[in-house]
Amino acid sequence: MNACPPNEPCPRVAVRALCAFAARSGDLDLRFTPSPSAADGIAGHATVTSRRGPDYQRELPLAALCAGLQLQGRADGVDLVARRLEEIKTHRGDAQHIATNQRALHWAQAKLYGWMLCEQQGWDGLELALVYFHIDTGEETVLTEWCEREALAAHAQDLCQRYRQWAHQEAAHRAARDAALAALRFPFGEFRAGQRELTEAVFRTQRGGRHLLAQAPTGIGKTVATLFATLRAMPEAQGDQLLYLTPKTPGRQLALDGLRRLNAQPLRALERVARDKACEHPEAACHGEACPLARGFYDRLPAARQEAAQAAWLDAAALRRIALAHGICPYYLGQEMQRWADVVVGDVNHYFDISAQAWALAVAQEWRVHLLLDEAHALVERARGMHSAELNPASFEAARAQAPQALRREMARLHRHWGELGRDLRQPWQPLPDLPQAFVQALRQHVGTLTDHLASHPSASAGALQTWLFDALQWLRVAETFGEHALADLSATPRLGRSAPRPRLAIRNVLPAPLLAPRWASAHSATLFSATLAPMDHIATLLGLPEDAARLAVPSPFPPKHLQVRVLPKVSTRYADRARSLPLVVRAMAEQFQAQPGNYLAFFSSFDYLQQALDAFAQAHPEVPVWQQERGPDEAARAAFLARFGPESQGVGFAVLGGAFGEGIDLPGRRLIGAFIATLGLPPVNPVNERLRERLQQITGHGFEHTYLYPGLHKVVQAAGRVIRTPEDQGVVVLMDDRFQRPDVRALLPPWWRL
């Protein structure tokens, strides 16, 4: 009964994956379980198993045949003498409030491991223990049950029968996918100059399991080249999944367009979007009593999952259509299909965030994951943000105002601890030598109490209390990794009501390297590509890439004469010199426009400087059309700004360097013929950046470069890259600052710029 059918493959399946597929039912319910991070789970398992006796075996490998499936997994803990198997789950809040369907899933896993252990040891039964470990208090809630081997076998057969057809379907899909990828052809017939070199380097490293830093000019077709090379490498590398990750939304569409051109059927492609953008009922909480798309989610999921798998092309629109047709949440259908997609296109946070699902899934499934990271120069700042956190007293006060009497005492205690932090605050911003441990402990206790309250009072789970809880949980997760790579600080806030002002309490990541190193180690291969990665040592150091990471700098394939780059030697855009140099900036812009009328982008270091320049230019040259970037533009404002750059129009669009229009926009041909860059792009000198510089100086010996110079010039090169988008484009870039003449600055600019 358990043997594989003759002449058929015997698919392998992990116990957790089998149960996630076949043992879930009922509502989607995210009210009461702000789940521990992966690091929390590892630490919790270690704590529980360290409490057991000498006969206890940890992470015991188990394997068995069942209904034509090869089951495999690791039991959390086994005592062979006592005939006892433990399944350990970490949690926050009262274990009594763990949802019934979630508890059933945990028992399903325990029973599968129990049957496999009985098969291995020849037992007729054993004791199963479901151990819930409270990550904040260290308490264990233990549920036990004696199970006979026959009952466990029947349970295993039932789950495996539900999964068997899907498993064979997926095995057939994988074989067809790999055959199609092995025969994949480049969609454009011929490679552009430089594109072949990039493609071959990506293919070699993705096949061989190495990481690659690749700098290549804008316009050579990096997206299609890297996708094609990686997809071709996957069958030879026995790769399981390709994650194409980008720090900005427009990059997702470029990747999806590239996949469509490659037309690698039956490749299953999935677009992941943020939960707030995919939510159909933003006013409702994520549980069956509040949201109709959460009600009965797991009961309707199998049919939706099957349709999604057959559809194969799962961009946001297709995923939404399928989900709503089956009455379930599009976002969580996307999360489910993450398990079954060949290519996933999404934001970098899906793999690098502190609680990233894509990374956790890859580790749990022991997948060979291929990474493509577009606009990789931006990953440093994004990674810092993902591993930083701040507590805002305004958020806490909003929660206090909503809190019932049962929580007031606990919150008042935390409020007092918070107030003690501000007693010695004598300046608007103040660094801390370490985390305030008394406050951290009070916050942990408060989080536990608040979690239990929300579990007991479901109606309170969609308001200021829950928002504050998630803020506090994120802060505590970041605090658990606090070390030399991070800074802690206080910043003053206005008085809130009658209470004394409480400071903001921030943990700022300085060096993402030690936190990202495990992510690189978990990937089979990663290609980080951008038009701006110089110097590559800077990127490799801050991101923690392995020492053997390969490097490639693709020269520009475009004739140098297509891009004129000029430096204005007598202009200083330093803050103290701006008023004096502004007439020179205006004159240079006007002379260039008069010599070559067309569409230009003008970049400045701040909105204030932009406004000064715009006013001066408009007053001196009212005949030239001008338009400007709004502060925090929404999608409509962004589209309106770009629409002004028509093939037949003329004028100057004023924008902030490093903002929405400094990268990730495509204005080919006559839509953009030039750029003025009136800044070196250096981040502002302020107490936070100076503290960052000092810490990076201590760690790397290059504090100024890592903090100011390299990030600034990356923004300059990205902005200039808007001008030449195709081999036919021609244009001009005017660098308006005398510092562009310095040798150390010129060394960081693209070698194909002829200054």
Side-chain angles (χ1 to χ4, degrees), residues 659-723:
F661 306 106
E663 57 183 277
I665 63 170
D666 198 19
L667 299 170
R670 296 292 300 175
R671 293 188 67 191
L672 183 69
I673 67 168
F676 306 106
I677 303 177
T679 173
L680 210 64
L682 306 185
V685 177
N686 57 38
V688 175
N689 282 337
E690 280 298 281
R691 183 71 170 168
L692 181 69
R693 179 189 60 78
E694 292 170 4
R695 180 59 60 85
L696 285 173
Q697 183 66 29
Q698 294 171 2
I699 298 173
T700 70
H702 299 282
F704 173 78
E705 292 84 353
H706 287 311
T707 306
Y708 294 107
L709 185 60
Y710 300 155
L713 291 179
H714 283 171
K715 289 184 281 188
V716 169
V717 177
Q718 282 292 320
R722 301 312 95 201
V723 177

Side-chain angles (χ1 to χ4, degrees), residues 264-511:
Q265 298 178 3
L267 194 73
R268 194 178 292 154
L270 169 69
E271 180 186 11
R272 295 298 311 275
V273 299
R275 182 163 62 178
D276 59 344
K277 292 184 178 180
C279 183
E280 295 288 322
H281 299 282
E283 75 288 349
C286 292
H287 59 83
E289 295 176 19
C291 179
L293 301 183
R295 190 177 306 123
F297 176 89
Y298 291 113
D299 300 326
R300 294 193 291 274
L301 175 61
R305 179 173 53 206
Q306 182 64 44
E307 183 177 345
Q310 296 302 320
W313 184 260
L314 299 173
D315 62 5
L319 202 65
R320 179 176 183 270
R321 175 183 56 78
I322 294 170
L324 296 184
H326 292 272
I328 65 173
C329 173
Y331 176 79
Y332 287 100
L333 176 59
Q335 193 173 87
E336 170 67 18
M337 295 310 297
Q338 175 99 31
R339 296 174 178 271
W340 313 108
D342 303 308
V343 180
V344 178
V345 177
D347 191 89
V348 292
N349 65 5
H350 290 293
Y351 192 81
F352 294 101
D353 189 75
I354 200 166
S355 54
Q357 186 221 3
W359 176 63
L361 184 61
V363 172
Q365 300 292 105
E366 298 182 348
W367 281 344
R368 286 194 169 193
V369 170
H370 300 257
L371 298 180
L372 289 178
L373 299 166
D374 190 11
E375 303 293 358
H377 64 278
L379 183 56
V380 172
E381 283 306 310
R382 285 295 309 276
R384 282 174 173 161
M386 286 183 271
H387 294 274
S388 299
E390 184 178 74
L391 292 177
N392 187 342
S395 177
F396 178 67
E397 290 299 330
R400 284 184 78 193
Q402 190 188 79
Q405 192 63 40
L407 288 176
R408 296 284 175 87
R409 186 174 181 180
E410 178 68 29
M411 298 185 84
R413 179 174 176 271
L414 180 64
H415 190 258
R416 288 193 299 273
H417 278 281
W418 204 330
E420 290 173 3
L421 296 178
R423 287 180 180 174
D424 298 326
L425 189 61
R426 298 290 182 265
Q427 50 193 355
W429 180 86
Q430 183 172 305
L432 294 173
D434 201 349
L435 292 181
Q437 292 304 318
F439 175 83
V440 173
Q441 187 56 38
L443 184 63
R444 286 190 192 282
Q445 184 173 335
H446 165 66
V447 162
T449 302
L450 180 54
T451 301
D452 288 342
H453 171 79
L454 293 180
S456 304
H457 300 82
S459 60
S461 65
L465 280 171
Q466 181 169 277
T467 299
W468 161 250
L469 173 61
F470 290 155
D471 289 347
L473 283 168
Q474 172 68 9
W475 196 91
L476 287 172
R477 286 170 178 162
V478 173
E480 289 171 359
T481 66
F482 187 78
E484 184 186 27
H485 60 270
L487 300 170
D489 62 67
L490 303 173
S491 53
T493 59
R495 182 182 296 273
L496 297 170
R498 293 179 297 173
S499 62
R502 266 57 181 166
R504 290 175 180 262
L505 180 56
I507 304 174
R508 304 177 194 273
N509 179 264
V510 174
L511 184 67

Side-chain angles (χ1 to χ4, degrees), residues 598-618:
N599 291 320
Y600 291 83
L601 268 169
F603 293 99
F604 299 86
S605 57
S606 67
F607 279 100
D608 289 341
Y609 190 19
L610 179 156
Q611 194 64 54
Q612 294 170 25
L614 176 63
D615 292 343
F617 186 87

